[in-house]
Amino acid sequence: MKKSCLLSFSITLCVFFGCVPVFAASSELKENLDVDEAVSLAIKNNISLKEEEITLRAYKRSSTYSWNSVSPSVSAGASYTKPVAPSDDGDGTAAVYGTASISFTPALFAAVKGAKLDYENGKLSYESAVKTIELNVRKAFYKILYDEDYLKLQKQNLESAEKQYQQNLAKYNSGGISRLDVLSTQVSVETQKPKVLSAETTLSNDKASFKQMLGISQETEISLSGSLDDFLNIGDITIKDVEINSTSLKILENKLEAAKTSVLKSRLNAYAPTLTGSYTVQRSKTGDNDAVDSETLKASVTIPLDSILPWSSSAQNIASAKDSVESIELQIEDEKTSLKVSTESALLSIAQSKAAILSLQASANLAKETFDMTFLAYQRGTKDLLSLQKALDDVFESQVNLKSEAYSLVSSILDLENIIGVPFGTLLK
């Protein structure tokens, strides 16, 4: 009996610490993903990114054809005119005509530049959306790894509680302990069951959200390859030689340039002349008379004058455009401060997690040594099975606490990489 128990504990430890595979490759699994493969799937299939692509295409079209206001306007028509007064029996007149016209204003140059800046800003927004999706996918990936480890711990605790209950029930039946002791262990079992159910629910919900981010069917079974142990012994994280390239700051700077262009456009619309030219050709025929051809060439210059009035709509448009420039300049200054504060906060979180990991590693080592000593005592007969099981539970719990902090660490690193605008994984190289 003792040998079978020893074998059971040895296998349990091996499974948790990686001596044997925790999950065998199942033929039912349709996806077996590492974190980079998950990111690639999300970028390819995510619905919100597809919407961003549609918006970006619209910006590109606007930029490509922003000059279309100077495209010639061509029209053609025909008419027939006949007097209808009783005293007038004259013949009707038939006519066909065609007109080509073109209009030009210097504000066109500002409009073209503005459209290009909008397109550039659209590309930055799309890049930001991709990074946000990647950040969320990576965090969700590692959260699921933690959920799986936490669920194992809760199941192990439930198993221990059930074993203790069965042992106490046997002792009670033989008259060794009171009924109160049995009820106490039974309560422990019933208390642990909701914890297992809660852990299973959390894992299921997180997987559902993860599949939605990846754009895959909820019926698809997935298995993630990876481990939070990879982050337990990383080196120092520093941004000393890293070039900060914040996407949010670049978007604001591009918006500032677009706002300045908008000021120029408003001024040109208010003060610059508009040049218009048109050419019309017409052929008309009345009764048996010969057809008459006529051609008209017209050129005009229009200079707006209402802009000299400070209460005019043109003057107000200029003032509003200037206000936008000032507002965005303030946003840029605020974003620079926020960027600095967020960077320092992420670095502090990383340092805190690394310090906590060192402490938790010491606790995990202590739990492991305690288990080894209890194991030897169990072999000598000085410790019972429940003591050995409790020592094993402590090992499991210390490992899960360690992985919880590892998840906090990797989340802080991902946040820092996102804040400073470097490719994910840069700070871990």
Side-chain angles (χ1 to χ4, degrees):
M1 176 67 178
K2 184 178 289 188
K3 288 185 178 180
S4 67
C5 290
L6 294 180
L7 180 61
S8 174
F9 282 116
S10 299
I11 292 177
T12 303
L13 280 177
C14 258
V15 168
F16 190 80
F17 290 110
C19 303
V20 296
V22 177
F23 297 110
S26 170
S27 60
E28 297 179 358
L29 296 180
K30 299 179 181 178
E31 297 289 347
N32 192 328
L33 303 172
D34 62 28
V35 65
D36 292 324
E37 291 169 339
V39 168
S40 296
L41 263 180
I43 292 176
K44 179 181 179 182
N45 299 326
N46 187 268
I47 297 298
S48 63
L49 282 186
K50 291 182 182 295
E51 293 174 347
E52 288 286 343
E53 289 175 358
I54 294 172
T55 303
L56 184 59
R57 288 202 302 267
Y59 279 126
K60 185 177 181 180
R61 286 196 304 271
S62 296
S63 175
T64 303
Y65 302 114
S66 56
W67 51 268
N68 61 7
S69 63
V70 295
S71 178
S73 176
V74 180
S75 62
S79 65
Y80 178 77
T81 305
K82 180 177 176 59
V84 295
S87 61
D88 190 347
D89 57 355
D91 294 329
T93 301
V96 293
Y97 59 87
T99 301
S101 63
I102 189 170
S103 180
F104 172 78
T105 175
L108 170 66
F109 298 112
V112 171
K113 183 178 180 181
K116 289 183 178 179
L117 288 171
D118 287 341
Y119 178 46
E120 291 300 319
N121 205 47
K123 289 194 290 186
L124 289 173
S125 296
Y126 179 75
E127 176 187 333
S128 177
V130 170
K131 286 185 69 68
T132 299
I133 290 295
E134 182 172 357
L135 174 66
N136 292 338
V137 168
R138 289 179 181 272
K139 282 189 173 183
F141 182 94
Y142 293 117
K143 177 62 164 57
I144 290 174
L145 292 182
Y146 169 72
D147 289 344
E148 290 174 342
D149 287 333
Y150 183 75
L151 177 58
K152 293 175 195 174
L153 169 67
Q154 297 306 322
K155 287 183 175 180
Q156 179 65 26
N157 288 341
L158 176 59
E159 182 181 350
S160 298
E162 288 174 339
K163 287 181 179 179
Q164 187 172 8
Y165 169 69
Q166 293 297 331
Q167 189 177 63
N168 283 359
L169 184 61
K171 289 181 179 180
Y172 169 74
N173 291 333
S174 63
I177 60 174
S178 69
R179 177 172 175 76
L180 183 61
D181 292 330
V182 177
L183 292 176
S184 177
T185 52
Q186 185 179 12
V187 169
S188 296
V189 171
E190 297 304 321
T191 301
Q192 186 59 33
K193 287 179 179 179
K195 293 181 180 180
V196 173
L197 180 60
S198 176
E200 289 175 338
T201 301
T202 298
L203 176 59
S204 177
N205 290 339
D206 287 346
K207 278 192 172 183
S209 298
F210 186 66
K211 292 175 186 178
Q212 184 176 6
M213 279 191 284
L214 300 190
I216 60 179
S217 169
Q218 290 294 322
E219 286 69 35
T220 302
E221 294 296 329
I222 59 173
S223 175
L224 307 185
S225 59
S227 174
L228 290 169
D229 292 337
D230 299 337
F231 302 96
L232 294 178
N233 298 303
I234 64 174
D236 293 332
I237 300 297
T238 177
I239 60 172
K240 182 178 180 181
D241 299 322
V242 177
E243 181 181 357
I244 297 179
N245 189 27
S246 170
T247 302
S248 58
L249 187 58
K250 287 169 63 177
I251 289 175
L252 284 175
E253 289 172 343
N254 195 70
K255 282 185 176 180
L256 177 61
E257 186 66 23
K260 290 179 178 179
T261 301
S262 181
V263 172
L264 176 61
K265 181 181 177 181
S266 297
R267 284 175 171 167
L268 290 174
N269 283 332
Y271 301 113
T274 299
L275 307 178
T276 303
S278 65
Y279 172 75
T280 302
V281 59
Q282 177 174 302
R283 166 168 284 198
S284 60
K285 181 176 175 60
T286 303
D288 296 331
N289 298 326
D290 294 336
V292 177
D293 294 334
S294 64
E295 298 181 55
T296 303
L297 180 63
K298 180 181 178 180
S300 64
V301 177
T302 304
I303 300 177
L305 296 177
D306 61 340
S307 55
I308 62 177
L309 303 175
W311 57 80
S312 67
S313 61
S314 298
Q316 292 304 307
N317 288 338
I318 295 173
S320 296
K322 288 181 177 179
D323 290 342
S324 295
V325 170
E326 293 182 15
S327 177
I328 296 174
E329 285 175 340
L330 291 175
Q331 292 177 39
I332 288 175
E333 291 304 314
D334 186 59
E335 181 63 24
K336 288 179 179 178
T337 302
S338 298
L339 178 61
K340 183 177 180 181
V341 171
S342 299
T343 300
E344 291 175 352
S345 177
L347 286 170
L348 288 174
S349 296
I350 291 171
Q352 181 180 351
S353 290
K354 290 191 66 176
I357 284 174
L358 291 176
S359 175
L360 290 170
Q361 283 176 325
S363 297
N365 291 335
L366 176 61
K368 181 64 169 60
E369 290 181 9
T370 301
F371 172 79
D372 291 340
M373 294 173 63
T374 305
F375 185 76
L376 292 175
Y378 177 77
Q379 286 183 311
R380 299 189 188 102
T382 57
K383 290 287 185 179
D384 59 14
L385 179 62
L386 286 178
S387 297
L388 186 60
Q389 185 67 48
K390 177 62 171 63
L392 178 61
D393 292 344
D394 290 342
V395 171
F396 271 88
E397 185 169 4
S398 65
Q399 286 293 319
V400 170
N401 290 338
L402 190 57
K403 292 188 178 184
S404 175
E405 196 60 48
Y407 172 69
S408 297
L409 174 60
V410 69
S411 294
S412 296
I413 294 173
L414 290 171
D415 285 335
L416 179 58
E417 290 175 330
N418 185 57
I419 290 168
I420 63 178
V422 299
F424 291 106
T426 299
L427 300 181
L428 293 175
K429 293 179 181 179

